[in-house]
Amino acid sequence: MKSLTYYVMLLILKLKGVKQEFSKTPINYSKLRKEDVRTPKNSLFKLHQVKRFVEAKTSITEIIPASATKNLIIYCHGGAFISGPSKHHWDAIREIATKTNAIVWMIDYPKAPENKIDVICENIDKVYSKALEKYIANTITLIGDSVGGTLIISLVQRLVLEDIERPSKLVLISPVVDATLSNPEIEKIERIDPMLSKKGVLSAKQMCVDNNDLSNVRISPINGSFEAFPNTLIFAAENDITYPDQKIVIEKMKNSNTNLKVIIGDGMPHIWPILPIMKEAKNSLNKLITWINTDTKPLN
C-alpha cells in the first residue's frame, strides 16, 4: 500500500506541471533552470563545513561533516543535461553526508545546449582525476541520479578502458542509459509516468550532441561494456520511461558478474529516492545510506 505522502507527491508534480514541461519540443531549458539551486542556503549545512572550488568548467561544493571519515562521495546530479542541481539534490546530500560521515562533492558540471556531451564528460573525468589526487580509489563512491547516472556509468566505462583505478562503489538512481529512447516498452510506461515524457527528454538529449549522435556511448552507456564495474546499487522505478532500458543494463551487469543490488520501486516515479515528502523516498534513501556504510567485496 502506498503512503498518503506518495499521492501528495504525485499531486505536487501535477500542479507544478513537470510532465507538461517534459512534453515540449524543444524543451524549455531556460524555464527549467529557474528551479536550479547552485549554492545551498547556509542553514542547510550548519553542522558541516562547506568549501567551494572549480575544476575545469565544473563548480564543486565540498560538504565536510564534523566527524568526517577519509571516504569521499562524488554526487553527479540529474537535470536532463540542461539544468540542476535542484533543492531536492541538496536535501539528499545533507542526509547522505550526515549519516555516512563521508566528505561529499556535489559537482555542478557544464550544461547543454551551451556545452555538448564530450565537454561534459571531459569535466567529469577531470573531477575524478582531482579526487584521485586526494583520495584512495577504494574510498570513493560515485552517486548519480537520472543523467547524473548516465555520466558516472560512462566515466567508469572509460576508467576500465584506460586502466585507471575505479571507485569502490556506484549508486545509480533512475539512470538514463539510452538517449535514443527507442525501446518500444517506453510508450506503454509513458502513459503512467507522472514526470517524464519521451518528447521532452529526447529534445534535451538532442541538445547535448552533434549530428544527432544519440548512440554515442558517452550519452548512451547501454552501448558500452559493463565488465569490471564496481560494487553497484541501482534504484529503478516502475512508472518511469527510463526503466525499460535500465532492465537491459541490469542484465548486462549480471552477465558481467558485477556485485549488484537492485531495488525496484513499485509504482514509483523517476528518481523517487530523492524526491521530497514521500515516505517511500525516505525509506529508500536510508537503504542507500546503509549500503554505502556496509563493507562490500573488494574490487579485482
Side-chain angles (χ1 to χ4, degrees):
M1 181 180 293
K2 307 292 190 303
S3 71
L4 175 61
T5 52
Y6 166 84
Y7 295 101
V8 172
M9 187 71 248
L10 293 187
L11 178 60
I12 291 172
L13 292 172
K14 185 173 183 179
L15 291 174
K16 291 184 71 173
V18 174
K19 183 156 186 171
Q20 183 178 2
E21 290 302 318
F22 275 93
S23 299
K24 296 176 180 178
T25 183
I27 194 165
N28 189 343
Y29 61 88
S30 296
K31 184 174 181 179
L32 290 175
R33 286 178 183 175
K34 291 179 181 180
E35 297 290 323
D36 287 1
V37 179
R38 312 301 287 274
T39 303
K41 294 181 179 179
N42 291 334
S43 59
L44 189 66
F45 292 106
K46 60 185 177 182
L47 300 179
H48 305 77
Q49 184 180 1
V50 179
K51 297 180 180 180
R52 293 181 179 86
F53 60 99
V54 175
E55 185 65 30
K57 296 171 70 175
T58 297
S59 299
I60 302 170
T61 301
E62 183 177 50
I63 311 298
I64 307 171
S67 302
T69 65
K70 294 182 179 180
N71 297 327
L72 174 68
I73 294 171
I74 300 176
Y75 195 108
C76 194
H77 68 82
F81 293 120
I82 56 175
S83 65
S86 301
K87 183 179 182 300
H88 58 268
H89 293 116
W90 295 110
D91 290 340
I93 284 173
R94 180 183 60 182
E95 286 295 301
I96 291 167
T98 300
K99 293 180 179 179
T100 65
N101 282 322
I103 294 170
V104 179
W105 287 5
M106 161 64 101
I107 56 175
D108 183 2
Y109 49 86
K111 305 299 189 298
E114 297 89 345
N115 300 275
K116 303 303 181 184
I117 189 64
D118 285 349
V119 171
I120 298 171
C121 286
E122 286 165 10
N123 273 258
I124 302 299
D125 291 352
K126 288 178 180 179
V127 170
Y128 186 75
S129 294
K130 187 70 173 180
L132 288 181
E133 293 176 8
K134 297 184 175 184
Y135 297 90
I136 300 170
N138 65 12
T139 66
I140 298 175
T141 295
L142 303 181
I143 303 178
D145 71 275
S146 194
V147 298
T150 311
L151 292 172
I152 61 174
I153 293 173
S154 65
L155 167 63
V156 172
Q157 289 172 334
R158 293 190 295 278
L159 296 177
V160 174
L161 283 173
E162 297 167 21
D163 197 24
I164 298 172
E165 291 181 293
R166 293 155 290 150
S168 173
K169 295 180 178 181
L170 195 63
V171 179
L172 303 169
I173 304 171
S174 299
V176 184
V177 293
D178 188 349
T180 70
L181 299 177
S182 56
N183 193 318
E185 289 188 32
I186 289 174
E187 292 184 13
K188 302 174 188 175
I189 296 179
E190 187 169 19
R191 295 192 292 267
I192 56 174
D193 187 325
M195 290 181 68
L196 302 181
S197 178
K198 178 177 175 178
K199 186 184 294 185
V201 175
L202 190 58
S203 171
K205 302 296 177 288
Q206 290 167 335
M207 291 179 180
C208 203
V209 296
D210 292 312
N211 302 318
N212 204 32
D213 185 15
L214 294 174
S215 62
N216 184 320
V217 71
R218 290 191 166 198
I219 197 168
S220 291
I222 195 172
N223 296 323
S225 171
F226 291 88
E227 296 292 337
F229 256 57
N231 304 294
T232 301
L233 171 62
I234 297 179
F235 289 91
E238 287 185 338
N239 291 4
D240 176 4
I241 62 172
T242 67
Y243 179 47
D245 293 321
Q246 291 157 16
K247 289 191 288 185
I248 295 172
V249 164
I250 288 166
E251 288 307 308
K252 287 190 172 188
M253 285 189 169
K254 289 178 179 177
N255 292 336
S256 299
N257 296 316
T258 302
N259 184 26
L260 177 66
K261 180 178 177 63
V262 179
I263 297 176
I264 308 294
D266 173 24
M268 291 296 120
H270 190 63
I271 66 166
W272 98 95
I274 60 170
L275 291 179
I277 298 175
M278 284 171 48
K279 179 181 177 181
E280 291 85 353
K282 183 176 181 180
N283 292 341
S284 296
L285 191 59
N286 283 334
K287 290 178 182 178
L288 183 158
I289 290 165
T290 298
W291 187 82
I292 290 175
N293 286 337
T294 302
D295 289 336
T296 49
K297 73 176 184 180
L299 298 178
N300 295 327

